[in-house]
Amino acid sequence: MPSLPWLHGGDLVAQQLKAFGTEYVFTLTGGHISPLYDGLRFVDVPLIDFRHEQAAVHAADAYARVRRDVAVAAVTAGPGVTGAVTGVANAYYAESPVIVLGGRNPFITDGAGNLQEAPHLELMRPITKYCTAAYDCWRSRDVLHDAFATAQTPRLGPAFLDLPMDMQLTRVPLDAAPPVRTRPRRAVGGVDPDAMREVAARLGTAAQPVVLVGSGAYWARAEQSLHAFACGLKAPVFANGMARGILGAHHPFQVVSGRREALRGADVVLMLGVDFDFRLGFGQPGVIHPGAFVVQVDPDASRLGRNRDVDMGIASDIERFLTELVGLDSAYGRPTPPRWTANLLANDAARRERRAHGAGTPGTVHPVDFTTQVADFLDEDATVIGDGGDIVAMFASRHRPGGPGLWMDPGPFGCLGVGAPFAIGARLHRRDTQVAVIFGDGSFGFNAFEFESAIRQDLPFVGVIGNDGAWGEMRTFHADLFGEGDMSAQYLSQDPAYEQVVEALGGHGERVDRAEDIKPALERAFAAGVPAVVNVILDPTYRRENAAVSGKHVARSYGEGDPNAFKRP
């Protein structure tokens, strides 16, 4: 780093980011963060820039996920911060440790009617774990330390820090600069030995145990201890969220489909970093066998027993819990898998085979053929990102991620538009393996111009669009609830040449309308060496039965059990 005659507030923040191990800052330019840019130049932290602040935060979110570490984004004041809100909210609900730095007008004129003035802290506070401003340069490194400490404390999540211009442009003599802080470290708590022995004993006597693994296990880096535990218990393991892929593609006791039936038949359920949220029916009656003994493990004690009672709630780091549980293998280990596990694995395989064939209308591809062809083409170590509704759900049921962090989707916030930004964030960390995005045609439109960001910064990936000319999941939801009478705003068009848009930006694009052409097109797309898109025209008449978002279920719930209660002539 060159010798500087003095430091300004932007230097102080930049030097602290560098000391904390920040490798990139994801951003969209703006005058209110120019001093930060200047500081980053002198500490050799590159900027990765985008066409929208939402995309910059999404990319930081992805980078945090693939590295399992804090990532940093910076946005300008006013519309820069409001543009980032959706990305921050998505990171919050996905428990992703993203630090967002927002430029701000000088505090000395706050409220006087500045350009791009907005209530940043009030907007960000509900969707962050830590939210404050650096009120002067002398405290800037301390508040940044606190932001990092909070973001990486389970459950993980984003932090927001306002950087007003008067703080950033305050000049400080070198010998008077506040000291650079050391990176905060996360403490790992132990588990009560009596509780551990009871869990091991319950698992040992269970005839039909089920293990649910969620994002908390991924963030805890628990894959090795989970593998050892699963091989000893020989019970079905279901993974969701960021835990998809945590056991690789071929683990003998990993089950992908049939979770609902498994929970209804279970006698012991062990939940590792999993919530009773909409994905588990909020844990209400009928979701889990009423006689099942439920153990919930989470580093955040406030999440234990949320929405329903559990028999044992254990506040613990999940990796530490599993490591200690593996040491009690003699209490629950089995020489052979129980019939319960074998049956669930067999049913899972049968469902996968049933989905392996389809027939589209002429000039289109059946969605089942689409998911089969793409899933079979991708390398086992490919990073795959799901950005869409129906087509992503179908693909996820077919695809087996090859390892931890090799599958990413928005998470429980369900935010469309993450695809291209996530791919850029992933490519920065994984330079030599495939990075692919499964798009719906609707989701593709949200951040399609981030293909230009990827092209300009030489960060190639391949997007595959499942193009049915509709907001497929919502079209089915609306029709199931209200009928086919008025389907306004549910349809798009299959005519736009999305592939030509990417070509015009400098990438590679192809349009495909036959299943047998998908793999050759993918080969050419990955070989192109530039960001690419393959626009696959799907059968527009296909309807997928919705599960998580079902209009039929909603109609029955609010219509006294009648699935047609809200359908009118």
Side-chain angles (χ1 to χ4, degrees), residues 78-342:
V81 171
T82 60
V85 164
T86 296
V88 175
N90 194 72
Y92 180 75
Y93 289 105
E95 303 165 30
S96 186
V98 176
I99 307 292
V100 178
L101 307 175
R104 182 173 180 142
N105 286 291
F107 272 135
I108 196 170
T109 58
D110 197 44
N114 287 294
L115 173 68
Q116 297 184 327
E117 192 168 83
H120 297 172
L121 300 181
E122 292 84 350
L123 288 166
M124 288 292 187
R125 190 163 285 119
I127 51 173
T128 54
K129 292 185 64 185
Y130 180 87
C131 183
T132 192
Y135 289 95
D136 63 66
C137 66
W138 310 103
R139 283 274 297 149
S140 61
R141 287 174 168 169
D142 293 331
V143 294
L144 198 56
H145 173 278
D146 294 347
F148 268 74
T150 306
Q152 66 186 35
T153 300
R155 288 188 176 193
L156 285 64
F160 178 79
L161 181 59
D162 241 346
L163 304 178
M165 285 291 284
D166 42 1
M167 183 284 291
Q168 292 187 72
L169 291 176
T170 297
R171 294 201 295 180
V172 179
L174 287 175
D175 58 0
V180 174
R181 300 292 304 274
T182 58
R183 172 115 185 220
R185 296 185 177 183
R186 181 171 69 91
V188 177
V191 188
D192 176 58
D194 291 337
M196 292 299 308
R197 284 190 288 269
E198 181 173 354
V199 172
R202 291 279 183 176
L203 291 170
T205 58
Q208 298 185 165
V210 170
V211 181
L212 303 181
V213 185
S215 297
Y218 172 77
W219 290 112
R221 301 175 183 266
E223 52 266 23
Q224 292 185 6
S225 56
L226 177 63
H227 169 80
F229 165 67
C231 287
L233 182 63
K234 297 179 175 59
V237 179
F238 294 87
N240 69 5
M242 282 303 298
R244 280 179 52 85
I246 194 168
L247 290 176
H250 309 292
H251 195 279
F253 304 114
Q254 180 173 240
V255 186
V256 175
S257 64
R259 184 180 65 182
R260 182 182 303 175
E261 294 82 358
L263 289 174
R264 288 173 177 170
D267 55 3
V268 173
V269 178
L270 176 60
M271 303 174 61
L272 303 170
V274 177
D275 285 328
F276 285 114
D277 61 11
F278 71 95
R279 291 169 291 189
L280 284 177
F282 307 103
Q284 296 307 295
V287 173
I288 296 176
H289 190 282
F293 188 90
V294 179
V295 181
Q296 188 178 16
V297 184
D298 200 281
D300 183 351
S302 71
R303 299 296 185 110
L304 301 174
R306 180 176 290 186
N307 291 330
R308 64 151 283 167
D309 291 336
V310 295
D311 297 285
M312 289 185 71
I314 299 175
S316 171
D317 175 82
I318 292 168
E319 161 64 15
R320 178 71 176 271
F321 172 86
L322 284 170
T323 298
E324 296 190 17
L325 190 57
V326 168
L328 301 172
D329 176 77
S330 60
Y332 63 81
R334 295 170 166 83
T336 58
R339 178 172 297 182
W340 160 255
T341 302

Side-chain angles (χ1 to χ4, degrees), residues 329-364:
D329 176 77
S330 60
Y332 63 81
R334 295 170 166 83
T336 58
R339 178 172 297 182
W340 160 255
T341 302
N343 288 342
L344 288 170
L345 287 167
N347 291 340
D348 184 36
R351 289 188 184 95
R352 180 178 170 87
E353 182 60 29
R354 283 199 300 271
R355 287 192 293 262
H357 305 286
T361 56
T364 69

